[in-house]
Amino acid sequence: MLEEFNLKGETAVVTGSNRGLGRTFALALSEAGANVVVSARSIDEAKKVVNEIQERGGNAAAIKTDVTVNADLMSLRDFAISKFGTIDVLVNNAGAFINEPALSTSESEWRRVMSVNVDGVWFGCQIIGEHMVKMKKGSIINIGSISANIVNRPQLQAPYNISKAAVHHLTKSLAAEWAPFGVRVNAIAPGYMKTEFSETHLPQYQKPWIEATPMNRAGEMAELGPAVVFLASKASSFMTGSILTIDGGYTIY
């Protein structure tokens, strides 16, 4: 049964994988046997993750990518194929966040969030998905959020919530369209996680975030890695168009 999770010989592209959740996904996919293309706006930081993977016995390569630039996404696709022969897994992880009341959100802030979180995912799926459709195989994993289904409190982040709702429906729409071509499209929706930039430790967020979570804690980044491996692998071969919620039970209520 465990062989179904084996990604040996496959190639995974992970955007925004120089730190945080993206780094976690890259390391997890490598540990499962995949060749990993570490993609980020900082090539130096991306190379650090590649070195980390290689030190653990994995195979990886780095490329500088801005997901808001289609030419960069095309270069990412071509680089991965030239380096490893194909792309079997795409993790659209790169994201942008905003914490601002709706009436004071500027046009530039709105467009920044939408450009990364929606356009970057859409064109990433389209550009790399074209290769997968031609190959008649592939798994795309979009990183959504519980914010797609709820209005977070007490922080104000309407553009972010809206962008993640778009990611969830984009996932379902492409899953339906590409299922006949052997390409699966799923998403994960993390809850409150401990990352380098999260504020889960701050006193003002203990009651609305942590105490409101049935498991009474924030998630660890490492707890999301196995879920990505599951969605990337044959273990989820009959799964497409699904949003896998991993939130400690926060959205139960």
Side-chain angles (χ1 to χ4, degrees), residues 33-252:
N35 304 312
V36 178
V37 176
V38 179
S39 160
R41 287 185 298 176
S42 170
I43 188 63
D44 292 335
E45 293 299 314
K47 286 179 178 178
K48 289 180 182 179
V49 178
V50 167
N51 291 337
E52 192 173 358
I53 289 172
Q54 292 173 340
E55 287 171 358
R56 298 184 183 195
N59 197 13
I63 182 172
K64 182 177 179 179
T65 309
D66 183 341
V67 299
T68 67
V69 179
N70 282 10
D72 276 18
L73 290 170
M74 292 176 186
S75 295
L76 171 60
R77 176 198 60 198
D78 296 343
F79 173 79
I81 294 170
S82 66
K83 191 75 176 177
F84 297 115
T86 187
I87 302 172
D88 304 285
V89 179
L90 167 65
V91 182
N92 282 308
N93 169 75
F97 183 74
I98 187 172
N99 192 340
E100 188 77 23
L103 293 181
S104 59
T105 298
S106 68
E107 179 181 352
S108 63
E109 289 173 319
W110 166 268
R111 296 196 183 282
R112 176 182 66 85
V113 172
M114 292 299 156
S115 181
V116 177
N117 293 2
V118 182
D119 294 353
V121 174
W122 166 257
F123 287 112
C125 286
Q126 186 184 58
I127 290 167
I128 293 178
E130 181 182 21
H131 166 73
M132 292 179 172
V133 166
K134 288 179 180 177
M135 296 290 292
K136 297 195 180 303
K137 66 186 291 286
S139 175
I140 296 175
I141 304 159
N142 297 322
I143 308 306
S145 172
I146 60 170
S147 301
N149 303 319
I150 64 169
V151 176
N152 303 77
R153 60 190 174 92
Q155 72 274 32
L156 302 174
Q157 53 182 53
Y160 179 83
N161 298 350
I162 294 164
S163 73
K164 290 303 182 178
V167 167
H168 285 198
H169 208 67
L170 179 160
T171 297
K172 294 179 180 181
S173 298
L174 293 182
E177 186 170 337
W178 291 345
F181 301 100
V183 178
R184 299 185 297 110
V185 189
N186 293 290
I188 65 170
Y192 290 107
M193 309 297 299
K194 292 180 183 177
T195 69
E196 296 100 318
F197 302 106
S198 71
E199 299 178 326
T200 55
H201 62 287
L202 296 180
Q204 63 265 37
Y205 296 133
Q206 296 308 297
K207 185 177 180 63
W209 293 2
I210 306 306
E211 293 179 24
T213 299
M215 293 185 73
N216 200 36
R217 67 176 177 87
E220 301 287 345
M221 289 190 289
E223 293 179 295
L224 298 181
V228 167
V229 170
F230 167 66
L231 292 176
S233 70
K234 294 178 182 177
S236 60
S237 58
F238 194 53
M239 189 173 177
T240 196
S242 293
I243 312 298
L244 189 58
T245 300
I246 307 172
D247 67 351
Y250 188 90
T251 53
I252 290 173

